[in-house]
């Protein structure tokens, strides 16, 4: 039986623990290797490799922005396995190459022309194509079961996302409609919640917008979706590091059964007519004042979302090592 190892920035004892990762790129992508389609392979996940001579395939996940302790360890693993002609794959989900930070330095040192890079969007691939030739795009799957379309005609909106997305939210908050009272539910990690509390006095929040903080989890997100009228996904399409994002938050929002206002990232454009343009001030104000205007679009979006099941995407990963 051939063996696959995923380098992820966690100590994993049991494979199912990978589903608890706060990094969507790990939780949605690496974890697909737990599905039955990989039953003929021995798959392991961890920040370490116990027996480096035992692996046929190495997949390298995101190292983590604060894991300096793993930098040389992972580089040594990669170089050693490269010397043994082991197949090495890099799952590349944010554009860090060329950035002066730990993750950027890691990728600059780790990736060679002979390695296969897997990106989560075509836009991200376009950032790399001039320097690397072996690039494959595999999208993110939906993380939850598709829910019934909600018709909550209230003034309650949901934001969920990694702490790095909070800056875009707080750039949007000052321009919120002020004609009535609103509730904005922010779900993020503990790191993000602490960041909000530390910077709360700098957030230019209109007095009619009440912000409520919640720790993100799938359970909390689904529960809040039952109470909310819509989801907002602000971003910056001109931010080169983030404009290659996958569609995972958008398809999750549609799977929740809610209307969506979002930035028009390239990976979102397949759903271009199904969500409101959050960066168009008039359209965004129209959305928050009356999200029910966008409810009919959710049904059409959900038909497309059904293509991105975990099983469908897992088959694409399997093709990498069987073709």
């Amino acid at each position: 039986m051939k063996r696959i190892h995923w380098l992820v920035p966690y100590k994993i004892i049991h494979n199912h623990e990978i589903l608890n990762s706060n990094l969507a790129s790990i939780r949605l992508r690496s974890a697909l290797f737990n599905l039955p389609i990989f039953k003929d392979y021995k798959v392991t996940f961890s920040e370490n490799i116990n027996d480096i001579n035992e692996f046929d395939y190495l997949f390298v996940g995101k190292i983590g922005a604060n894991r300096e302790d793993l930098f040389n360890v992972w580089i040594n693993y990669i170089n050693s396995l490269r010397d043994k002609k082991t197949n090495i794959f890099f799952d590349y989900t944010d554009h860090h190459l060329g950035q002066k930070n730990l993750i950027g330095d890691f990728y600059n040192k780790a990736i060679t022309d002979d390695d296969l890079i897997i990106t989560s969007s075509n836009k991200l691939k376009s950032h790399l194509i001039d320097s690397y030739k072996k690039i494959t795009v595999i999208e993110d799957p939906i993380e939850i079961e598709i829910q019934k379309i909600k018709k909550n005609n209230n003034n309650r909106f949901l934001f969920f996302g990694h702490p790095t997305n909070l800056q875009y939210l707080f750039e949007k908050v000052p321009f919120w409609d002020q004609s009535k009272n609103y509730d904005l539910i922010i779900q993020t990690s503990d790191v993000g919640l602490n960041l909000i509390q530390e910077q709360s006095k700098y957030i230019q929040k209109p007095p009619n917008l009440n912000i409520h903080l919640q720790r993100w989890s799938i359970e909390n997100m689904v529960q809040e979706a039952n109470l909310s009228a819509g989801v907002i996904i602000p971003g910056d399409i001109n931010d080169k590091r983030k404009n290659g994002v996958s569609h995972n938050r958008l398809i999750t929002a549609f799977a929740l059964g809610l209307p969506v206002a979002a930035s028009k990232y390239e990976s979102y454009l397949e759903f271009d007519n199904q969500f409101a343009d959050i960066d168009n001030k008039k359209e965004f104000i129209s959305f928050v004042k009356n999200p029910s205007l966008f409810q009919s679009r959710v049904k059409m979006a959900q038909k497309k979302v059904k293509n991105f099941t975990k099983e469908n995407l897992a088959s694409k990963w399997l093709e990498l090592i069987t073709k």
Side-chain angles (χ1 to χ4, degrees):
M1 179 178 286
K2 291 191 174 182
R3 299 189 62 178
I4 299 169
H5 185 74
W6 267 93
L7 280 177
V8 295
Y10 311 100
K11 286 183 168 67
I12 302 294
I13 305 300
H14 303 290
N15 277 9
H16 66 83
E17 295 171 6
I18 200 73
L19 290 169
N20 299 326
S21 171
N22 64 329
L23 292 173
S25 59
I26 301 293
R27 195 175 63 248
L28 293 176
R29 299 170 71 80
S30 308
L32 295 176
F33 283 63
N34 281 331
L35 293 179
I37 196 171
F38 287 97
K39 62 181 174 55
D40 294 330
Y41 296 83
K42 172 67 174 175
V43 180
T44 52
F45 309 89
S46 188
E47 63 186 36
N48 298 310
I49 298 177
N50 292 327
D51 191 343
I52 202 164
N53 296 313
E54 294 295 321
F55 294 98
D56 301 284
Y57 306 97
L58 177 69
F59 286 81
V60 182
K62 189 176 291 184
I63 191 171
N66 61 347
R67 294 304 306 270
E68 294 89 350
D69 58 309
L70 293 180
F71 188 100
N72 288 326
V73 174
W74 282 21
I75 291 294
N76 289 337
Y77 287 151
I78 291 165
N79 288 339
S80 178
L81 288 168
R82 185 174 286 124
D83 290 341
K84 299 176 186 298
K85 308 300 182 184
T86 302
N87 294 288
I88 301 175
F89 306 82
F90 288 86
D91 190 26
Y92 189 81
T93 56
D94 280 317
H95 190 36
H96 289 282
L97 274 163
Q99 301 287 323
K100 293 297 182 183
N101 56 38
L102 176 73
I103 302 177
D105 291 343
F106 171 75
Y107 284 132
N108 284 327
K109 193 168 185 177
I111 301 177
T112 71
D113 290 341
D114 292 327
D115 298 320
L116 181 60
I117 302 172
I118 304 98
T119 68
S120 52
S121 71
N122 282 304
K123 181 66 174 181
L124 195 50
K125 177 180 178 178
S126 74
H127 290 323
L128 304 178
I129 199 67
D130 289 338
S131 301
Y132 302 94
K133 303 306 178 186
K134 297 180 179 180
I135 308 172
T136 296
V137 177
I138 300 181
E139 303 89 345
D140 286 350
I142 48 175
E143 190 163 20
I144 61 173
E145 295 295 324
I146 294 177
Q147 313 287 304
K148 290 183 179 180
I149 295 172
K150 313 292 192 302
K151 295 183 179 180
N152 300 325
N153 295 320
N154 56 36
N155 304 316
R156 187 179 182 94
F157 293 87
L158 172 63
F159 166 93
F160 58 89
H162 190 269
T164 55
N165 293 303
L166 290 171
Q167 67 183 86
Y168 308 125
L169 176 64
F170 295 135
E171 289 169 0
K172 196 62 57 182
V173 161
F175 302 102
W176 203 279
D177 173 58
Q178 297 189 35
S179 66
K180 53 186 175 180
N181 291 327
Y182 292 93
D183 292 297
L184 173 61
I185 314 305
I186 301 177
Q187 292 190 354
T188 187
S189 67
D190 289 334
V191 172
L193 296 176
N194 291 334
L195 183 65
I196 295 170
Q197 291 172 336
E198 290 170 2
Q199 299 184 359
S200 59
K201 63 182 178 180
Y202 303 111
I203 300 171
Q204 298 177 11
K205 181 186 74 67
N208 64 313
L209 180 62
N210 301 303
I211 292 179
H212 310 272
L213 304 181
Q214 297 179 2
R215 188 176 188 277
W216 181 88
S217 68
I218 292 178
E219 181 181 359
N220 287 345
M221 179 179 65
V222 172
Q223 183 175 343
E224 182 54 44
N226 290 326
L227 305 174
S228 297
V231 174
I232 62 170
I233 310 176
D236 183 355
I237 61 175
N238 296 313
D239 182 344
K240 192 173 182 180
R241 190 177 72 82
K242 297 294 286 186
N243 66 9
V245 296
S246 78
H247 59 201
N248 70 66
R249 281 199 298 160
L250 183 66
I251 65 173
T252 296
F254 285 135
L256 289 169
L258 288 171
V260 183
S263 292
K264 289 193 170 186
Y265 286 125
E266 187 173 299
S267 62
Y268 290 10
L269 295 183
E270 179 182 354
F271 300 89
D272 190 17
N273 295 317
Q274 280 86 61
F275 65 91
D277 181 1
I278 201 170
D279 298 315
N280 179 314
K281 186 176 180 180
K282 184 178 180 180
E283 193 167 331
F284 177 52
I285 293 297
S286 176
F287 174 83
V288 296
K289 289 177 74 172
N290 194 359
S292 62
L293 293 174
F294 295 84
Q295 285 175 349
S296 62
R297 305 185 189 189
V298 180
K299 184 176 182 180
M300 188 180 301
Q302 286 191 342
K303 290 180 180 179
K304 297 178 183 178
V305 168
K306 291 177 180 178
N307 294 323
F308 300 103
T309 64
K310 292 179 180 179
E311 290 73 19
N312 285 350
L313 276 300
S315 67
K316 291 188 177 184
W317 286 96
L318 183 60
E319 286 176 11
L320 292 177
I321 56 178
T322 57
K323 64 182 181 181

